[in-house]
Amino acid sequence: MKWLWMTMALAAGMAVSVQAGVNGGLGRRVGVLEGAFVSFFIGTIVLFFVQLFFGKGELIAMFSVPKWQLTGGILGAFYVFVMVLIVPKLGVANSLVAVIAGQLVMSSLVDHFGLFGGQRIPFDWTRFAAMGFLFLALWLFFRK
């Protein structure tokens, strides 16, 4: 089952790469803020119908969750806005390597401290080495 999840994660990563290129082009045509808005608006419509037909019917429960759990939409909007802004300037690969480096740093902190109710996974030398290689990749991608 672990391979299925890993395959889905790889597919999601591929989708993010395509999304970055698509959104970057959209932003060049309609404007950065407008491009981010259009992307989220279309995604909202799609998710509305998906949850309508396949959801658990517990959407109203959003009013009873801790308020910090509602910040995901803000963070997602920030991510899409930044990608629409930087992809035309840096390219898809450079932008995503930088995003992945940021994700690795923050996710390592989240795992190490077990933040947001997650499992604690200590930061060890293996993870440190992996992070070092990723920052080396970041440097190589941005090197002229």
Side-chain angles (χ1 to χ4, degrees), residues 57 67 72 80 84 105 113-114 117 132:
K67 299 308 175 221
V80 170
V84 171
V105 169
F113 293 107

Side-chain angles (χ1 to χ4, degrees), residues 54-112:
F54 301 106
K56 296 179 182 178
E58 299 176 17
L59 192 57
I60 199 77
M62 70 181 231
F63 294 107
S64 64
V65 301
K67 299 308 175 221
W68 65 266
Q69 289 180 343
L70 301 176
T71 62
I74 297 168
L75 297 170
F78 174 71
Y79 168 76
V80 170
F81 169 75
V82 168
M83 293 306 283
V84 171
L85 178 67
I86 69 171
V87 164
K89 294 168 179 45
L90 300 179
V92 174
N94 286 347
S95 299
L96 286 176
V97 168
V99 165
I100 291 166
Q103 287 175 329
L104 185 61
V105 169
M106 185 53 71
S107 63
S108 294
L109 290 170
V110 168
D111 282 351
H112 181 76

